[in-house]
Amino acid sequence: MVNLARLPPEGREERLEAKPAECAALARRFGILGVNRLVARLRLRPEPGGLATVDGRLEAEVVQACVVTLDPVVQAMDEPVRLRILAPGEAPSEDPEAPDEIEAEGDSVDLGEAIAEQLALALDPYPRVPGAALPGEGEGEEPPPSGPFAGLAALRKRG
């Protein structure tokens, strides 16, 4: 938790590093095999109206199951972080290009939770070990027809 009321006018640096137990909890939460490392280096700057912006980098190493073979896939991440902290009750921006926004809890914000959410967004939705392919996924191959019209497709190819 970071107290925004104590944020100096010039801003300040924050470094968050997940401990092994926190990494294990994040892996369970996200349904992945492991979070080996999670570090965030952030710069917090106050904005007019009691708000703040957060800029920095999230670095992590995660282990996910390959969607084809279920073998472990280790992935290194280095992602930019750009957040805007909203005052309690403030409506979020409608601009899709705006930074992600999180609502402060009184004078404080849970940066650990915000970084956990950024990690979840950065996870590869379809991790694969090198060379893993689904059946019919070869180069130039079309997947075999299936469903109620598969027989008709086979007849069309003959004629």
Side-chain angles (χ1 to χ4, degrees):
M1 296 295 287
V2 173
N3 187 326
L4 299 173
R6 295 189 180 143
L7 191 60
E10 67 277 3
R12 80 165 183 248
E13 304 286 326
E14 288 285 333
R15 183 177 187 276
L16 304 177
E17 185 168 0
K19 295 176 177 70
E22 294 166 328
C23 286
L26 287 170
R28 282 190 305 275
R29 175 177 168 183
F30 301 140
I32 62 175
L33 300 177
V35 175
N36 296 340
R37 182 176 64 85
L38 173 60
V39 177
R41 290 174 184 82
L42 308 169
R43 174 95 179 141
L44 286 80
R45 290 186 182 92
E47 280 188 1
L51 307 175
T53 57
V54 179
D55 291 292
R57 303 230 39 106
L58 172 142
E59 297 171 8
E61 182 181 271
V62 299
V63 183
Q64 294 179 267
C66 173
V67 295
V68 178
T69 66
L70 299 181
D71 290 334
V73 179
V74 178
Q75 297 174 318
M77 299 177 164
D78 184 358
E79 298 285 327
V81 174
R82 178 131 172 82
L83 303 169
R84 184 168 175 263
I85 301 170
L86 302 176
E90 182 181 345
S93 170
E94 298 287 330
D95 181 3
E97 300 299 319
D100 289 343
E101 297 174 320
I102 53 175
E103 187 174 331
E105 301 167 16
D107 286 345
S108 300
V109 64
D110 187 347
L111 278 183
E113 177 59 24
I115 294 303
E117 291 171 4
Q118 294 296 304
L119 174 64
L121 292 171
L123 289 174
D124 184 350
Y126 304 106
R128 291 189 186 193
V129 294
L134 294 170
E137 243 187 8
E139 278 191 42
E141 288 181 31
E142 288 185 29
S146 63
F149 298 106
L152 291 174
L155 288 173
R156 190 174 75 195
K157 283 185 178 182
R158 279 193 235 159

